[in-house]
């Protein structure tokens, strides 16, 4: 019998998506030996089945929509998009689902990659089982970081497995546009994929259980996106649940709670995410398999001084950029604890405290129109007990918006803490607003006083001039 090999490292990272890669980058930069364990592709969900392929699908759809708003150009872009060229470009952004480049990057920083299924098998210990059944035991002198992300959740509907529904993975990697596509859900994945495939030629029916789209944003964001989807030809039905789904002779048949029967070629369920922690050995250290992992602001798991949970698995902010931010904080905290340096995890906005998770999380929904927000919505601010004012402005009244395209429709809102005169949140909806959100993020994260924002002069004529209009509205109201 061959003895199982045991290898010691300073840090073991479980999961090689963007979050795990960034933890490894920070710990290696601090001089700590680091092993990274991955069972699929190095680069993770974002690179191959989420952020990159979805935005590659959406970009031509949005560019065509923008072009149609411009006299002199609109007539030239009325025809259908070439779906095969769009998907070919998408495949380029996923490196054709090969991870050679990402593996090369890990090697360049001096991290060791172990391919296989990693399970925690004790304190500071991870056992990796390769595809050939061989096992290696990795021990960590200082930390194990769980960066395994999330997986799509499907509803408990009888016979759903036989229907072979799409999840986000199939929706972002499909080669052909289905003639008819039912999308179930009202969040980011549902709205983005409805926009993408409607623009690529599918006839989309969007079934939303709640009252509107994008429920985590200001209500007007979902309203404007739903209005645009409807104008593009999608059938948007709110307050609608799915009672049953079957596939009959290749056709998907959906029956709603209202008794409607909808036929389609494919159905996408975008109804939530669950932590990818069901089979990583949590039970070996007294934690529940399949659970979210609660952490402090240094991303250390409650009750385990050697275990970190970074990114989606801790349920703080399920966004790639936020997970990478957490990874930078966690890497710095691991390095500080390893060297015995003072830790600043209790100091907001310090080097070892993921403060933005609480106060300044930015997000862009790449629909047409785009929706972008950072910080608190009006409802969230009021629920938290802040004394606030919501300041709204019609972005179409800004010269830059008029130049961007005829018939521009959009809206901006800033949430002002009237006691401190700083911004707690900002939301923009409209074509091209995704590139505005970082200015809002700086204002919110930096707690920039209203009095100082007057001196941040927006260039004319850009859509960013909406900042001046919001300040004027606040002053004059």
């Amino acid at each position: 019998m061959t003895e199982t090999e045991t290898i010691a490292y300073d840090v073991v990272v479980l999961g090689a998506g963007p979050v795990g890669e960034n933890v490894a980058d920070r710990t290696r930069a601090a001089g700590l030996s680091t092993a990274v364990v991955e069972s699929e592709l190095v680069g993770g969900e974002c690179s191959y089945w989420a952020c990159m392929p979805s935005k590659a699908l959406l970009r031509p759809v949005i560019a065509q929509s923008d072009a149609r708003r411009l006299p002199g150009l609109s007539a030239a872009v009325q025809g259908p998009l070439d779906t095969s060229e769009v998907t070919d470009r998408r495949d380029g952004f996923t490196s054709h689902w090969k991870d050679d480049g990402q593996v090369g990057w890990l090697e360049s920083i001096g991290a060791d990659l172990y391919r296989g299924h990693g399970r925690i098998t004790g304190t500071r210990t991870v056992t990796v089982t390769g595809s050939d059944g061989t096992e290696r035991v990795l021990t960590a002198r200082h930390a194990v970081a769980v960066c395994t992300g999330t997986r799509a959740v499907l509803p408990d509907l009888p016979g759903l497995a036989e229907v072979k529904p799409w999840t986000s993975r199939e929706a972002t990697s499909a080669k052909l546009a289905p003639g008819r596509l039912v999308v179930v859900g009202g969040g980011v994945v549902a709205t983005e994929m409805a926009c993408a495939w409607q623009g690529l030629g599918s006839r989309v029916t969007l079934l939303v259980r709640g009252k509107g789209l994008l429920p985590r944003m200001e209500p007007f964001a979902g309203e404007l996106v739903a209005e645009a989807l409807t104008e593009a030809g999608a059938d948007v039905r709110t307050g609608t649940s799915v009672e049953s789904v079957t596939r009959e002779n290749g056709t998907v048949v959906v029956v709603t709670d209202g008794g409607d029967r909808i036929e389609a070629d494919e159905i996408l369920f975008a109804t939530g995410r669950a932590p990818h922690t069901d089979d990583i050995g949590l039970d070996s250290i007294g934690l529940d398999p399949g659970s979210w992992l609660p952490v402090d602001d240094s991303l250390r798991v409650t009750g385990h001084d050697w275990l970190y949970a970074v990114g989606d698995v801790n349920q703080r902010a399920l966004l790639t950029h936020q997970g990478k931010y957490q990874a930078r904080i966690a890497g710095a905290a691991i390095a500080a604890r390893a060297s015995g340096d003072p830790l600043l995890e209790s100091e907001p906005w310090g080097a070892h405290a993921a403060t933005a998770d609480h106060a300044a999380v930015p997000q862009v929904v790449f629909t047409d129109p785009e929706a972008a927000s950072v910080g608190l919505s009006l409802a969230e601010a009021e629920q938290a007990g802040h004394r606030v004012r919501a300041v709204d402005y019609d972005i179409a009244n800004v010269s830059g918006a008029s130049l961007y395209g005829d018939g521009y429709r959009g809206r901006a809102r800033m949430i002002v803490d009237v006691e401190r005169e700083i911004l707690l949140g900002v939301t923009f909806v409209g074509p091209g607003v995704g590139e505005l959100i970082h200015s809002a993020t700086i204002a919110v994260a930096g707690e920039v006083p209203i009095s100082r924002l007057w001196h941040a002069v927006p260039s004319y004529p850009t859509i960013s001039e909406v900042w001046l209009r919001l300040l004027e509205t606040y002053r004059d109201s």
Side-chain angles (χ1 to χ4, degrees):
M1 181 181 293
T2 303
E3 185 176 345
T4 301
E5 183 181 13
T6 299
I7 310 168
Y9 287 90
D10 292 322
V11 179
V12 176
V13 179
L14 200 53
V19 175
E21 289 176 322
N22 274 266
V23 172
D25 184 44
R26 292 297 84 213
T27 56
R28 285 297 302 130
L32 301 176
S33 61
T34 301
V36 180
V37 182
E38 178 54 58
S39 60
E40 292 191 292
L41 296 176
V42 174
E45 200 80 10
C46 177
S47 298
Y48 306 104
W49 301 286
C51 314
M52 296 306 292
S54 65
K55 277 52 183 182
L57 290 174
L58 283 159
R59 179 59 195 144
V61 174
I62 294 171
Q64 183 183 52
S65 180
D66 284 344
R68 286 174 173 172
R69 298 185 181 99
L70 294 171
L73 180 58
S74 60
V77 292
Q78 290 303 315
L81 291 167
D82 187 323
T83 303
S84 64
E85 289 197 11
V86 173
T87 57
D88 284 349
R89 182 173 185 264
R90 181 270 319 272
D91 294 353
F93 277 101
T94 65
S95 301
H96 300 274
W97 290 275
K98 295 179 181 178
D99 62 2
D100 299 17
Q102 305 260 22
V103 171
W105 179 83
L106 270 183
E107 292 173 348
S108 75
I109 65 169
D112 291 343
L113 172 64
Y114 291 84
R115 290 194 183 272
H117 181 68
R119 299 184 79 253
I120 298 169
T121 49
T123 301
R124 296 186 177 85
T125 305
V126 172
T127 299
V128 184
T129 305
S131 58
D132 60 357
T134 58
E135 289 189 348
R136 290 185 175 89
V137 176
L138 310 180
T139 60
R141 300 182 188 91
H142 298 294
V144 172
V146 176
C147 309
T148 50
T150 59
R151 56 179 174 80
V153 174
L154 290 171
D156 186 16
L157 289 171
L160 185 58
E162 287 72 35
V163 175
K164 297 182 178 178
W166 281 7
T167 65
S168 54
R169 285 197 168 194
E170 291 76 20
T172 56
S173 62
K175 278 289 189 182
L176 301 173
R180 301 162 298 175
L181 174 66
V182 170
V183 179
V184 183
V188 176
V189 172
T191 52
E192 286 191 346
M193 290 298 93
C195 180
W197 289 111
Q198 178 70 36
L200 290 169
S202 299
R203 191 162 70 251
V204 171
T205 301
L206 184 57
L207 305 180
V208 186
R209 184 171 58 182
K211 294 186 293 185
L213 305 184
L214 305 176
R216 296 179 181 272
M217 287 188 164
E218 298 283 6
F220 62 80
E223 291 167 5
L224 285 170
V225 171
E227 183 179 296
L229 276 169
T230 300
E231 290 178 357
D235 180 3
V236 180
R237 307 186 191 186
T238 58
T240 303
S241 296
V242 175
E243 287 291 307
S244 68
V245 182
T246 55
R247 193 181 283 271
E248 303 172 6
N249 299 319
T251 298
V252 175
V253 178
V254 181
V255 178
T256 71
D257 56 349
D260 293 334
R261 176 187 168 98
I262 305 167
E263 294 187 354
D265 299 290
E266 300 292 349
I267 183 168
L268 162 63
F269 281 92
T271 49
R273 309 285 297 181
H276 221 313
T277 59
D278 49 313
D279 192 23
I280 62 168
L282 293 184
D283 51 328
S284 72
I285 54 172
L287 297 173
D288 293 330
S291 64
W292 302 98
L293 297 175
V295 295
D296 61 20
D297 279 353
S298 70
L299 291 311
R300 189 165 58 173
V301 175
T302 304
H304 296 76
D305 62 3
W306 55 273
L307 184 65
Y308 292 73
V310 193
D312 288 3
V313 290
N314 59 42
Q315 207 182 15
R316 286 164 69 112
L318 277 64
L319 296 160
T320 296
H321 49 271
Q322 212 65 24
K324 291 163 71 173
Y325 160 74
Q326 291 178 12
R328 296 190 292 272
I329 299 293
I334 291 169
R337 288 187 171 113
S339 64
D341 292 340
L343 213 68
L344 306 173
E345 79 272 24
S346 61
E347 181 180 317
W349 307 112
H352 309 128
T355 314
D357 289 350
H358 308 298
V361 174
Q363 181 174 20
V364 178
V365 184
F366 292 84
T367 45
D368 178 32
E370 291 176 345
S373 67
V374 63
L376 303 179
S377 67
L378 175 59
E380 289 169 338
E382 290 178 337
Q383 187 175 12
H386 298 288
R387 287 187 56 230
V388 295
R389 278 178 53 194
V391 182
D392 292 346
Y393 193 79
D394 184 345
I395 302 178
N397 292 331
V398 176
S399 297
S402 300
L403 289 166
Y404 191 94
D406 291 356
Y408 189 104
R409 282 178 289 179
R411 186 171 172 186
R413 168 174 288 180
M414 66 180 189
I415 306 301
V416 181
D417 182 325
V418 295
E419 293 179 342
R420 300 174 63 196
E421 288 244 308
I422 60 170
L423 303 186
L424 299 180
V426 180
T427 299
F428 300 119
V429 185
V433 299
E435 296 299 338
L436 296 183
I437 202 59
H438 193 57
S439 58
T441 303
I442 293 170
V444 173
E447 298 183 345
V448 181
I450 292 284
S451 59
R452 179 58 64 87
L453 285 176
W454 279 104
H455 296 279
V457 182
S459 299
Y460 180 87
T462 65
I463 301 176
S464 290
E465 201 178 15
V466 70
W467 278 107
L468 176 58
R469 303 300 170 227
L470 285 167
L471 293 171
E472 289 172 340
T473 304
Y474 176 68
R475 177 198 62 194
D476 297 338
S477 60

